[in-house]
Amino acid sequence: MIPQIKRILYTTDLSDNSTEVFEYVMKSAKRYDAGIIILHVLEPFSVAANPIALTYLTEEQVKKTSEERLAYVKDLINKRLRTFCENDPECADRVESIELCEGFPPDMILMKADELNCDVIVMGTHGKGLIRSTFLGSTSKRVLRRTRKPVLIVPLPREEADTGLDDI
């Protein structure tokens, strides 16, 4: 039996492809009368970068920078959402929340999908050329290998993809 879809976790890396992916998410949400949770995962400073940052900044300044980064991303997502939903009043009502967190993207996506009781995960991929047709992105691959939830991977449209080795 196919489970009902009542909540969709839309993961975004804020790339150019993310608008295309959100179109799939919105159409699916309308079709299944489902809510949408938007998730963006920011990777923390690397192990090497953190000590360097602390050499020049206080711990409080590093924390403030991180908070500013989260605020900037949330504002960017809200602006994109307003633009996308300009002509569709139902659009914004479907979005239940915008979630931002720091961590290793596959881990955070899986954790949030469970924590927020999502029925399906929707992700974009932006592989290019030969790599595009052979492999998924590393985050997509890691999520697919570890989840028991359905995952929809939306590729970059063919006309926007780098032709790379496909033309040879």
Side-chain angles (χ1 to χ4, degrees):
M1 185 167 120
I2 297 174
Q4 285 195 346
I5 297 173
K6 289 294 171 195
R7 183 171 285 153
I8 299 169
L9 180 64
Y10 161 54
T11 65
T12 179
D13 62 359
L14 301 174
S15 67
D16 294 338
N17 190 27
S18 60
T19 301
E20 301 276 338
V21 179
F22 192 69
E23 286 181 31
Y24 276 88
V25 171
M26 187 53 62
K27 286 177 184 175
S28 298
K30 287 178 180 180
R31 179 175 187 183
Y32 296 108
D33 192 27
I36 300 167
I37 296 174
I38 299 173
L39 173 65
H40 179 74
V41 180
L42 291 111
E43 293 192 53
F45 287 124
S46 70
V47 175
N50 206 30
I52 294 169
L54 289 171
T55 300
Y56 297 100
L57 304 170
T58 65
E59 214 168 296
E60 192 163 307
Q61 289 172 316
V62 170
K63 184 180 176 188
K64 184 180 176 194
T65 301
S66 179
E67 289 170 358
E68 288 171 352
R69 187 169 73 147
L70 286 169
Y72 171 78
V73 169
K74 188 158 192 165
D75 186 53
L76 180 61
I77 290 171
N78 278 316
K79 283 179 184 174
R80 286 186 178 189
L81 186 59
R82 277 192 302 275
T83 301
F84 188 89
C85 296
E86 253 175 10
N87 300 320
D88 184 0
E90 181 187 352
C91 174
D93 294 338
R94 293 231 173 250
V95 177
E96 294 178 11
S97 69
I98 297 172
E99 302 286 326
L100 302 173
C101 55
E102 285 187 334
F104 184 58
D107 292 346
M108 299 309 295
I109 291 167
L110 294 168
M111 183 184 83
K112 287 293 187 179
D114 288 337
E115 179 184 301
L116 300 168
N117 298 315
C118 296
D119 302 302
V120 66
I121 301 168
V122 180
M123 309 173 71
T125 186
H126 48 273
K128 308 242 181 192
L130 181 63
I131 304 294
R132 176 176 181 254
S133 59
T134 308
F135 302 105
L136 289 174
S138 60
T139 299
S140 303
K141 192 183 329 183
R142 287 181 175 120
V143 168
L144 279 169
R145 284 185 178 166
R146 294 174 44 200
T147 190
R148 305 293 346 132
K149 296 180 184 290
V151 179
L152 173 63
I153 306 291
V154 181
L156 183 67
R158 187 83 177 150
E159 62 274 4
E160 293 180 26
D162 176 31
T163 54
L165 298 175
D166 290 343
D167 288 342
I168 295 176

